Amino acid sequence: MNNQRFYAFLQRQILLMIGLSLVPGLAYIFLGWLNGVIIPALIWYGLIVTVSLFGWKLYNDFKLEQMSEKALRSWYRKLAAFYYLIFALWTLIFLLYCTETGHNLHYIAIFTQIGASVVASTLLVSDKKLFFPVLIILMLPLIGYFFLIGEWYGYVLSVFSVIFLGVLLYSSDNSYQLIQENYYQAQHDSLTGLYNRRYIVEYMERLIQRLQVSDNFVYILLIDLDHFKTINDTLGHDIGDKVLKEVAMRIKRYCGTTHTIARLGGDEFTIVSGEHNSSFDCKELSINFSETLLQVLKAPYMIDGHHLYLSASIGINGVGNRATDASHFIKEADIAMYEAKAQGRDGIILFNEDLSKRVEYHLEIERRLYFALEHNEIALRYQPQVNKQQEVIGCEVLVRWNNPEFGFVSPAEFIFIAEKTGLIIELGNYIIEEAFKTLREWNAKGIHLEQFSINISVRQFFHSSFAEDVERFVKKYLNNELVNKVVFEVTETILIEDMHRIISAMKRLKGLGIGFSMDDFGTGYSSLSSLREIPIEELKVDRSFVGRVGEHRSDELMITTILSMANIFKLKTVAEGVETEEQFQFLLKNNCDIFQGFYFSKALHKEDFEDYYLKRRVVRPLKGIAYEI
Ligand code: C2E
Ligand code: CA
Ligand code: CA
């Protein structure tokens, strides 16, 4: 029996069986008295009472939630014994009465045996190991009895009984198969054959109750495949399904019978370990177990002629006697798994309270961010960009959030939350509108920049109304000359989308006069071919490379490579995060065009930028005469 729910079903039948034995049993005492076999009848009834008491005890002993697997198995063995015994007793009374012709008792005996067979085939239908032998125990004596009559009608009845037994076995077996199939489907994932979410949650609920009694520990793993979506998107769902099946098989093979495995949906799996009696051992084991599992999952996949490489992010959570429910434990494992993703995927993270606090902090930020615009907490800063002569030729607009509770929250922290919640659309529009206002205002004040860069997040870029919104702001605030100075900085993550979509989105904006810059270049997924295809004018060398000039030869090499590549593609280059004279000189020597960083200035208030500009403005000769304002 593989399903614990069937135990509960069989437990309920105990009472019915006791009732059906004790009450009609009294009639058999009376019949025994009529026929002068009262002593055997009383002994028989005494046995019925004894076995019923045994059944009653079994009925009360059953506590599915608190019983360990082992205790359940032992209970089940006793239960099987109960059913065998009680039906054997009914066979006994049959044997006792089938030869009694007085009061035609043999008719009653025959009916009793047929009735008992029907009862057995219905009550025990959920368990083949029970109803099969019990039906044989009940029907064989009947068949033998008819046969031993020695008359032709006896042989006929004997054959009929064999047929009847066959029908009972066949119909019970059919119902049994159907019940099994239904249960199987309700509890399993149809693609991989692993348990499904519903089952594992129920399983864990029972497990948690048991752990509270036993003081044992188990661990759960939440496994999410990295970049699985890419496989589905590029190779199709058929291959995706085959990969999932292979992953499920590897997990199953690795876990053996000691763990319970489920597919929660998509590319998410969960594993629940067996019980351990020390929390420390449990933790150690879970880490070792996960590390090997990661290796198992990372071995190359060969599917329909494709060599595929996968990795996974695993969150681990210890489950002990904390009074929480299963979904809470799964959620905590999920938080740990997300942290593993955030730390670069292909890793294992053990859930802890700090993590949970961080998640809470993020949720709090998420809640407050919602009101940030309304409460005027969002402001813009402008970081100067200078040319080789260190004259200000542009700026990058950087957003700041000043919250009364949290103080200044870094955009590095809240932009991704805004992206996750979709708030980035509203926030992004606000930033664009405010930035355009500044650009116009500066122009009126005689601050003429060559370029004016605004960061655009991927989510914003691919939002359906993005181009329309930008167009509206352009019309409202800018003229042709000004819009040509606007540069949208996008990151390499836009390249995850399909090329066609990127290019058509960019073309519409380019039609307005807006240029594009590839931000954080060299840290993501760019390939040379995509650089050639998408219409960008500028590359920004990521500050992580610039920051290590003079320290790491490989970072310097990265910079020189990016700069010479940009040169080949005729792209303008901006180095960001320039903090020292040495870095500036290195970049100058390698022919970088534009520079940005604390060495020149941090991001400034609008008014401070104006002052800064006036000190370092570009002095252009006008009609041959140098002029100053
Ligand atoms: P980013 O686009 O790479 O922006 C450059 C970041 O580098 C800015 O941080 C800037 O203050 C910092 N930085 C500039 N020079 C130096 C330097 O010399 N040394 C060091 N250590 N840092 C320097 P910030 O303002 O905290 O912005 C962080 C990130 O937040 C930005 O990275 C960008 O991805 C995002 N972000 C900022 N403003 C916006 C915005 O308006 N919209 C969107 N979508 N994202 C934004
Ligand atoms: Ca940027
Ligand atoms: Ca950057």
Side-chain angles (χ1 to χ4, degrees):
M1 264 223 319
N2 52 17
N3 193 294
Q4 304 189 338
R5 276 210 198 167
F6 290 135
Y7 288 118
F9 177 76
L10 284 173
Q11 182 225 13
R12 282 200 302 277
Q13 314 309 318
I14 297 177
L15 287 189
L16 194 61
M17 197 56 221
I18 291 177
L20 282 174
S21 302
L22 286 181
V23 180
L26 291 173
Y28 287 80
I29 298 179
F30 175 68
L31 293 171
W33 173 70
L34 275 184
N35 284 276
V37 281
I38 180 72
I39 301 294
L42 280 175
I43 294 174
W44 172 81
Y45 196 74
L47 289 172
I48 285 277
V49 172
T50 315
V51 175
S52 296
L53 283 174
F54 174 54
W56 175 247
K57 183 174 175 317
L58 284 178
Y59 180 82
N60 287 314
D61 282 351
F62 182 76
K63 296 202 173 45
L64 187 55
E65 280 77 21
Q66 291 161 20
M67 288 162 93
S68 67
E69 289 286 325
K70 206 170 137 226
L72 260 180
R73 269 199 300 276
S74 137
W75 180 85
Y76 171 73
R77 274 196 298 275
K78 289 183 197 150
L79 177 88
F82 162 75
Y83 280 118
Y84 290 144
L85 279 174
I86 201 131
F87 281 108
L89 284 176
W90 280 103
T91 298
L92 189 68
I93 200 75
F94 165 76
L95 292 175
L96 193 65
Y97 287 177
C98 67
T99 48
E100 301 286 339
T101 46
H103 303 94
N104 286 326
L105 214 56
H106 55 285
Y107 288 136
I108 295 180
I110 291 167
F111 179 78
T112 306
Q113 205 60 356
I114 293 175
S117 303
V118 173
V119 169
S121 74
T122 35
L123 292 195
L124 306 180
V125 69
S126 64
D127 191 350
K128 199 172 178 170
K129 274 202 228 116
L130 281 181
F131 71 71
F132 237 92
V134 165
L135 280 177
I136 305 266
I137 291 174
L138 289 170
M139 288 299 291
L140 267 190
L142 191 67
I143 296 166
Y145 165 76
F146 285 139
F147 189 81
L148 290 176
I149 293 176
E151 301 276 347
W152 68 268
Y153 68 89
Y155 298 128
V156 171
L157 282 172
S158 179
V159 171
F160 281 179
S161 302
V162 171
I163 295 173
F164 182 63
L165 171 63
V167 170
L168 279 185
L169 287 177
Y170 173 77
S171 66
S172 305
D173 192 51
N174 260 352
S175 313
Y176 170 78
Q177 299 294 354
L178 205 69
I179 293 174
Q180 289 294 331
E181 256 168 50
N182 267 336
Y183 266 109
Y184 186 86
Q185 279 166 8
Q187 295 180 328
H188 288 78
D189 164 51
S190 57
L191 180 71
T192 59
L194 298 177
Y195 287 119
N196 58 19
R197 177 186 284 271
R198 189 173 132 190
Y199 175 82
I200 203 78
V201 169
E202 268 177 28
Y203 172 82
M204 278 185 67
E205 294 294 356
R206 285 197 303 273
L207 180 69
I208 291 164
Q209 294 209 17
R210 252 195 345 258
L211 294 180
Q212 272 164 19
V213 180
S214 68
D215 263 343
N216 281 349
F217 299 86
V218 305
Y219 55 84
I220 64 168
L221 260 56
L222 208 120
I223 305 151
D224 192 287
L225 305 179
D226 298 330
H227 302 300
F228 178 71
K229 192 174 169 293
T230 321
I231 293 184
N232 255 344
D233 289 351
T234 52
L235 300 174
H237 287 259
D238 277 353
I239 303 245
D241 282 357
K242 284 184 184 162
V243 172
L244 288 176
K245 273 191 196 160
E246 168 79 23
V247 167
M249 212 173 70
R250 287 187 189 188
I251 297 180
K252 230 174 356 193
R253 216 182 296 139
Y254 173 60
C255 289
T257 52
T258 49
H259 293 66
T260 308
I261 318 158
R263 176 176 170 227
L264 295 182
D267 58 345
E268 241 183 38
F269 298 85
T270 191
I271 299 178
V272 182
S273 78
E275 294 182 33
H276 301 279
N277 44 27
S278 125
S279 124
F280 180 77
D281 286 354
C282 190
K283 201 170 175 178
E284 291 282 293
L285 282 169
S286 70
I287 294 171
N288 294 339
F289 178 86
S290 308
E291 276 168 355
T292 321
L293 176 64
L294 254 189
Q295 297 315 315
V296 168
L297 294 178
K298 277 167 75 174
Y301 293 72
M302 179 71 192
I303 288 176
D304 285 0
H306 299 276
H307 282 278
L308 301 172
Y309 298 88
L310 273 184
S311 63
S313 303
I314 301 182
I316 308 176
N317 194 13
V319 181
N321 51 10
R322 278 188 286 158
T324 12
D325 56 10
S327 26
H328 190 88
F329 282 116
I330 295 179
K331 202 178 122 215
E332 288 181 343
D334 202 45
I335 288 173
M337 186 276 288
Y338 267 100
E339 183 60 23
K341 291 248 179 224
Q343 292 190 9
R345 294 158 209 268
D346 186 15
I348 299 160
I349 298 282
L350 202 74
F351 176 81
N352 58 54
E353 279 311 311
D354 281 351
L355 250 182
S356 140
K357 282 203 193 94
R358 247 203 357 255
V359 170
E360 246 156 60
Y361 172 69
H362 272 166
L363 284 176
E364 189 59 28
I365 288 198
E366 200 175 304
R367 267 196 293 278
R368 287 175 188 272
L369 188 59
Y370 206 73
F371 300 102
L373 278 175
E374 225 174 273
H375 296 171
N376 265 329
E377 293 168 7
I378 300 288
L380 300 187
R381 299 286 180 270
Y382 305 86
Q383 188 174 32
Q385 294 179 332
V386 303
N387 62 12
K388 288 175 181 161
Q389 290 76 41
Q390 297 194 42
E391 297 157 333
V392 184
I393 53 92
C395 75
E396 176 179 4
V397 180
L398 292 162
V399 67
R400 296 291 174 260
W401 175 23
N402 187 10
N403 180 268
E405 179 86 5
F406 291 122
F408 275 102
V409 185
S410 158
E413 205 163 345
F414 73 81
I415 289 290
F416 103 91
I417 294 176
E419 283 175 346
K420 208 177 73 185
T421 57
L423 209 68
I424 191 72
I425 307 299
E426 205 186 330
L427 181 67
N429 275 349
Y430 175 82
I431 294 168
I432 295 174
E433 186 165 12
E434 289 303 301
F436 281 7
K437 280 187 202 164
T438 304
L439 181 59
R440 183 172 72 169
E441 197 182 318
W442 281 351
N443 187 56
K445 283 185 176 170
I447 296 173
H448 302 295
L449 299 174
E450 283 172 27
Q451 60 178 33
F452 186 84
S453 302
I454 303 172
N455 291 289
I456 303 293
S457 102
V458 199
R459 196 62 208 270
Q460 213 182 337
F461 186 75
F462 288 114
H463 189 254
S464 56
S465 68
F466 182 61
E468 263 166 58
D469 293 337
V470 172
E471 192 167 356
R472 198 174 66 244
F473 296 135
V474 167
K475 284 201 175 117
K476 193 162 168 194
Y477 299 104
L478 307 178
N479 57 27
N480 253 350
E481 183 201 348
L482 286 182
V483 75
N484 279 312
K485 297 177 192 287
V486 175
V487 174
F488 280 173
E489 290 189 6
V490 290
T491 58
E492 292 164 284
T493 39
I494 63 158
L495 299 174
I496 295 174
E497 292 287 329
D498 78 275
M499 267 307 158
H500 196 70
R501 197 153 167 231
I502 304 169
I503 293 172
S504 77
M506 279 187 161
K507 273 196 176 143
R508 185 150 173 212
L509 295 162
K510 284 192 86 68
L512 298 171
I514 292 169
F516 284 95
S517 172
M518 185 58 83
D519 204 355
D520 306 339
F521 189 76
T523 58
Y525 311 87
S526 302
S527 66
L528 273 178
S529 63
S530 58
L531 263 192
R532 199 190 48 200
E533 279 177 59
I534 62 170
I536 53 166
E537 287 97 49
E538 184 182 278
L539 279 190
K540 288 191 85 165
V541 182
D542 191 64
R543 66 178 185 275
S544 58
F545 303 125
V546 177
R548 289 202 283 259
V549 165
E551 290 170 23
H552 287 269
R553 183 80 192 101
S554 58
D555 289 295
E556 291 180 359
L557 214 72
M558 191 80 190
I559 296 177
T560 46
T561 311
I562 292 174
L563 292 177
S564 55
M565 195 171 71
N567 203 12
I568 295 167
F569 286 114
K570 308 239 172 335
L571 299 171
K572 224 188 304 177
T573 45
V574 181
E576 66 178 3
V578 183
E579 292 184 349
T580 63
E581 171 71 22
E582 185 194 1
Q583 291 163 358
F584 179 49
Q585 289 307 329
F586 175 83
L587 292 157
L588 261 184
K589 197 175 74 197
N590 285 289
N591 211 15
C592 183
D593 303 311
I594 300 169
F595 311 85
Q596 179 187 341
F598 297 167
Y599 181 60
F600 312 100
S601 168
K602 60 182 184 22
L604 301 170
H605 279 85
K606 190 162 72 177
E607 297 76 17
D608 294 339
F609 186 92
E610 292 166 13
D611 292 344
Y612 186 87
Y613 174 84
L614 290 176
K615 284 192 205 115
R616 300 200 184 200
R617 71 208 139 154
V618 184
V619 184
R620 289 197 186 83
L622 189 68
K623 289 178 190 156
I625 312 156
Y627 81 103
E628 289 227 7
I629 299 167

